[in-house]
Amino acid sequence: MNAYDEYMKGIVQPMRQELVNVGFTELTTPEDVNEFMATANGVSLVVINSVCGCAAGLARPAVREAIEEVKPDHLVTVFAGQDREATEAMRGFFEEVPPSSPSIAILKDGQLEYFIPRDQIENHPVEQIRDHLAGVLKQTCTK
């Protein structure tokens, strides 16, 4: 690993831990993604994490608060720009949606049910994002 990669790894570690600390499993390789998706029964919340300010100040806090209200069966995350191959593999499961990070996907039995792209995160209050996500999770988890 070169000095730049080592530096970036240290920078993003707290951003990764923020989701791991509330129960998310990181999928860091395409194999991790494919293994998860092969067995993803029930409702899965997939966060495509990012180093940007809207991920730090909006997406991650909204997700953490929303899952306090409604907890889906699975919580997983891939990190755009860091785990590129894993992120690409995950996005391959919902190709109909343009790539966006940060973003939030709700899957049911491995199929995309709902997607919240960056433009519905950036410049929106964290409470609005939380309520939007919690509402979708409530509907999806009770179907």
Side-chain angles (χ1 to χ4, degrees), residues 63-71 130-131 134-135 137-138:
V63 166
R64 287 194 325 265
E65 292 177 21
I67 63 170
E68 288 177 10
E69 291 183 44
V70 185
K71 195 148 191 182
R130 176 202 60 217
D131 293 348
L137 285 172
K138 283 176 189 166

Side-chain angles (χ1 to χ4, degrees), residues 130-142:
R130 176 202 60 217
D131 293 348
H132 180 185
L133 177 57
V136 172
L137 285 172
K138 283 176 189 166
Q139 288 181 339
T140 307
C141 289
T142 58

Side-chain angles (χ1 to χ4, degrees), residues 6-15 51:
E6 192 65 36
Y7 173 77
M8 287 308 294
K9 184 177 176 185
I11 293 291
V12 302
Q13 192 55 41
M15 299 172 200
V51 297

